[in-house]
Amino acid sequence: MKKIFLILIVLTLVSGVIACSKNENAVTRNQDGKINVTTTNFPPYDFVRQIAGNVGTGGSRVNLTMLLPPGSESHSFEPSPRDIITIQNSDIFIYGGGESDKWIDRILQSMDTGNIKILAMMDAVEAVEEEIVEGMEDDDDDEEAAYDEHVWTSPQNAVLIVEAITGLLCESDPTNAGFFRENAAAYIKELKQLDTAFAEAVSGAKRNTIVFADRFPFRYFADAYGLNYFAAFPGCSTETEPSAATVAFLINKIRDEKIPVVFHIELSNERMANTISEETGAKKLLLHSCHNITKRDFDAGLGYLTIQRNNIINLREALY
């Protein structure tokens, strides 16, 4: 409720600015000849730069902006007036489309989006509902099931999202369409190789169960490779401190099934993973959902493919 209230205040403050600046921006915003692309979080940001050229080297064919600051928690993100103006001035706007992006719906409804091509990544794939597995805490009081928004965690879905983004880029900038399609084809080839590598790692394993002492934003990933999982919270949970019963359940699961690894996700406080690792002897490892990355990794140009290739190494430790 607090987040919605703050967003309404921001919308009220910004609405006048948008109204006054809209016509001027339509003329001046693309003086460099590049279209403006805005993404909410890291996965579509990285997908765009693979298709349109690397922003860090100055070789990009688009002006690319990511709203979520590197290193920050995406589920508690609150837009600034500058963020809303950035969305208004976009030629293409890409976001997740799930529960944590409800603020975007309010913002889009408040502005004229006739000249903005908008993609919700969940619309590019077959979305599934979040599920509450045995031992998992559910902090959602809403009886209506929420769809899992972490669609990019499956490389198969990443291919579909990249294809959708490529289509929008080509529509918005036909002059560079050949460049976009060539880069997209090369990137999709690497994503398919990544998918094959994950499938091979899982198919040769002696177990197919993973345990997370954390939130679990890997529903699409687990479904893609036939993995069973146990975790403290679903992917979009706002909770970080589990009950004693949840911790005990995960400890017993690791002991009973002799599971060698307990996972945590990126930017986690890792306290629960530390406790379970100490109690069970399971090795604590990161399985990175690519939702966001640290400022250091962002500045270094770390991308989805590198993150996922590192995930293969850690996943093999958990399954073999």
Side-chain angles (χ1 to χ4, degrees), residues 78-113:
E78 295 172 356
S80 68
R82 182 184 295 273
D83 293 329
I84 297 175
I85 293 173
T86 298
I87 295 172
Q88 175 69 65
N89 290 339
S90 301
D91 295 288
I92 297 174
F93 176 58
I94 308 168
Y95 69 111
E99 286 295 314
S100 63
D101 283 341
K102 287 297 184 183
W103 61 271
I104 294 174
D105 295 333
R106 294 179 179 274
I107 288 174
L108 294 178
Q109 289 168 9
S110 73
M111 62 177 62
D112 180 2
T113 58

Side-chain angles (χ1 to χ4, degrees), residues 31 33 74 86 94-95 105 118 126 164 166 169 192 243-244 280 293:
Q31 287 182 343
S74 59
T86 298
I94 308 168
Y95 69 111
D105 295 333
I118 300 170
E126 184 176 346
T166 303
L169 289 171
K192 290 182 176 179
S243 67
T280 63
I293 59 177

Side-chain angles (χ1 to χ4, degrees), residues 57-238:
T57 63
S60 180
R61 303 287 175 95
V62 305
N63 296 316
L64 179 59
T65 302
M66 183 173 76
L67 298 183
L68 180 67
S72 63
E73 166 53 51
S74 59
H75 296 100
S76 59
F77 173 71
E78 295 172 356
S80 68
R82 182 184 295 273
D83 293 329
I84 297 175
I85 293 173
T86 298
I87 295 172
Q88 175 69 65
N89 290 339
S90 301
D91 295 288
I92 297 174
F93 176 58
I94 308 168
Y95 69 111
E99 286 295 314
S100 63
D101 283 341
K102 287 297 184 183
W103 61 271
I104 294 174
D105 295 333
R106 294 179 179 274
I107 288 174
L108 294 178
Q109 289 168 9
S110 73
M111 62 177 62
D112 180 2
T113 58
N115 293 321
I116 308 174
K117 297 186 186 303
I118 300 170
L119 173 65
M121 289 186 289
M122 287 180 66
D123 292 341
V125 307
E126 184 176 346
V128 299
E129 294 179 356
E130 281 196 332
E131 63 178 356
I132 305 300
V133 299
E134 183 184 7
M136 181 183 286
E137 296 186 26
D138 181 11
D139 64 341
D140 190 356
D141 296 329
D142 191 347
E143 294 183 1
E144 183 178 351
Y147 282 89
D148 193 316
E149 63 190 57
H150 307 90
V151 292
W152 60 83
T153 56
S154 159
Q156 298 167 16
N157 281 353
V159 169
L160 298 176
I161 296 167
V162 167
E163 289 174 342
I165 292 173
T166 303
L168 292 185
L169 289 171
C170 292
E171 290 175 19
S172 298
D173 185 4
T175 301
N176 285 307
F179 177 83
F180 297 147
R181 292 193 182 101
E182 182 178 354
N183 285 351
Y187 188 57
I188 286 171
K189 182 178 180 180
E190 290 192 273
L191 288 172
K192 290 182 176 179
Q193 291 171 345
L194 178 68
D195 174 46
T196 298
F198 272 120
E200 290 176 348
V202 173
S203 66
K206 68 179 183 181
R207 62 175 62 84
N208 72 339
T209 298
I210 51 179
V211 173
F212 274 72
D214 219 318
R215 295 195 297 260
F216 188 79
F218 288 93
R219 171 74 194 279
Y220 295 93
F221 178 87
D223 286 356
Y225 304 113
L227 292 170
N228 297 322
Y229 67 91
F230 296 94
F233 307 106
C236 284
S237 174
T238 57

